[in-house]
Amino acid sequence: MNKSRFKRNLKFLFFVLLVCLVAFGGYYFITGKENPISEIIDTITEDNKIIDNYNGVYVSDDDLNGSKYIFRGCSVSKISNYILIMDDDYYLYRSSCMGTFLKGEGKVSELDIIEDGSAKTYRINYNDRVYVKDSSVLRIVPGIDGIANMLSVQPDTYQLLLKETEQEGYYYNLTDLKIDGVSSGLRMNFNVNTFDDSYTISFNSGVDGINLYTSTIKDLDYLPDLYAFGKYLAVIEKKMSSDNSKYAYTLKVLGEDGIVYNSDSMLPITIDNVSLTTDNSIYITFDYSSRNFKMIVGYDKEFCSTEFTEEEKKEIAYYEFNIDYLYNQSSFTKPVFSKIGYKGEGCKYINKIMEES
């Protein structure tokens, strides 16, 4: 009897619970209000789905505006920035055929992750970049790729190579490398000086190994610009005045026997009774369209002004010179005066010259 009574009571409780659930659901169905239990279940399910899908690689590319030949087996048109998410942690990498390097790390909770419903994927807004999840990237292997097998350097892309790959934990030196485009036996060396956090670039004669040129810099942004001219290598040293208020650029040309041209030795130059010396602000760049060097000589880093009075319009802001290479004579000309720039002309012209360098 007791068992029978217990079963009847249990069935009654189930019946009451079922009626309550039907009534509860019917109420929210008729009124159109959202069922809070359903909302809780959906939220739990959605959160789990998002957390599961966060893991993976997110990509943001830097376009290099055309393919750049770095060394045999490595040409790049873009450099990829990766964010790798593994559970609660993320890792930031920069990668190309030159190498892959860890640039930072942190917690996923610090990231701005956005679900892109239309694309059925995720994206991350990080340091003014948009990273998009890319399931095609299956692995990231940090390290330097192929540099140990380099036999020569490219004058127009060696700066990109060094800036991208000379990273803490991966520092390396380059020794006695041929310079592509230079027909003489010039060789380049590059050394990292860990004792004072500086870099030394030097060139030597390939015949007897005699050092022809050495420059030490503290920042890779000041690596010299290199240009091949037959048997010569033109070098633009990018230096600043001691107080950092003026440019102090110099054009030097190296041959197998040493330095055959030095723009500093061409100064002073007198224009309209004004003497221009190495104390002036001197900026030198190569003009690819005219295939010559432009030397801008002025009084500060700007060489121009966007704000000036009526009286200041006629004030001289800079002097422009051209340095040409005479192919039939295999020699470089002295700086040839080209024009005077005035404050009143603004900055459009001079900025174009400096932005293209």
Side-chain angles (χ1 to χ4, degrees), residues 106-123:
K107 293 295 183 181
V108 172
S109 58
E110 302 166 356
L111 297 177
D112 179 18
I113 304 176
I114 300 171
E115 183 178 12
D116 190 337
S118 60
K120 296 183 180 180
T121 187
Y122 297 89
R123 55 186 164 86

Side-chain angles (χ1 to χ4, degrees), residues 26-53:
Y27 168 77
Y28 282 98
F29 176 78
I30 294 171
T31 60
K33 294 183 179 180
E34 188 170 357
N35 189 329
I37 295 178
S38 174
E39 183 180 358
I40 292 170
I41 293 173
D42 288 345
T43 300
I44 293 173
T45 304
E46 185 67 19
D47 284 347
N48 286 336
K49 183 188 73 172
I50 291 174
I51 291 172
D52 290 342
N53 289 338

Side-chain angles (χ1 to χ4, degrees), residues 5 14 22 34 51 88 125 135 141 160 166 176 179 205 233 239 264 269 295 303 344 349 353:
R5 183 179 300 173
F14 276 127
V22 171
E34 188 170 357
I51 291 172
D88 295 330
N125 295 326
S135 58
V141 182
L160 176 63
E166 288 289 1
D176 201 38
I179 305 163
S205 167
L233 179 70
K239 297 181 179 180
D264 281 353
I269 298 175
M295 184 171 78
F303 298 116
Y349 176 78
I353 292 176

Side-chain angles (χ1 to χ4, degrees), residues 50-58 82-93 106-109 111-114 122-124 131 133 140:
I50 291 174
I51 291 172
D52 290 342
N53 289 338
Y54 277 173
N55 286 328
V57 178
Y58 298 72
Y82 295 139
I83 291 180
L84 168 63
I85 291 182
M86 296 179 63
D87 298 326
D88 295 330
D89 301 306
Y90 77 87
Y91 304 88
L92 182 66
Y93 294 91
K107 293 295 183 181
V108 172
S109 58
L111 297 177
D112 179 18
I113 304 176
I114 300 171
Y122 297 89
R123 55 186 164 86
I124 299 174
Y131 292 75
K133 193 172 185 183
I140 298 175

Side-chain angles (χ1 to χ4, degrees), residues 134-240:
D134 188 344
S135 58
S136 67
V137 181
L138 301 178
R139 67 187 191 128
I140 298 175
V141 182
I144 299 175
D145 301 331
I147 293 175
N149 300 320
M150 282 181 61
L151 300 176
S152 62
V153 293
Q154 308 297 314
D156 55 343
T157 61
Y158 93 100
Q159 293 172 326
L160 176 63
L161 170 66
L162 294 179
K163 288 178 183 179
E164 288 293 330
T165 59
E166 288 289 1
Q167 306 285 336
E168 186 175 355
Y170 296 93
Y171 287 128
Y172 63 92
N173 298 324
L174 299 175
T175 305
D176 201 38
L177 292 185
K178 183 181 181 299
I179 305 163
D180 281 1
V182 178
S183 59
S184 62
L186 287 174
R187 295 290 189 273
M188 187 184 100
N189 306 280
F190 179 84
N191 294 91
V192 180
N193 309 312
T194 55
F195 60 88
D196 67 350
D197 295 324
S198 66
Y199 309 91
T200 298
I201 184 170
S202 62
F203 300 96
N204 59 269
S205 167
V207 177
D208 47 26
I210 295 176
N211 181 268
L212 307 174
Y213 172 97
T214 299
S215 177
T216 299
I217 59 175
K218 298 287 285 186
D219 188 331
L220 291 175
D221 285 337
Y222 288 91
L223 283 167
D225 294 337
L226 306 179
Y227 304 92
F229 285 87
K231 62 182 178 180
Y232 297 122
L233 179 70
V235 180
I236 297 179
E237 292 181 341
K238 298 190 286 187
K239 297 181 179 180
M240 303 298 294

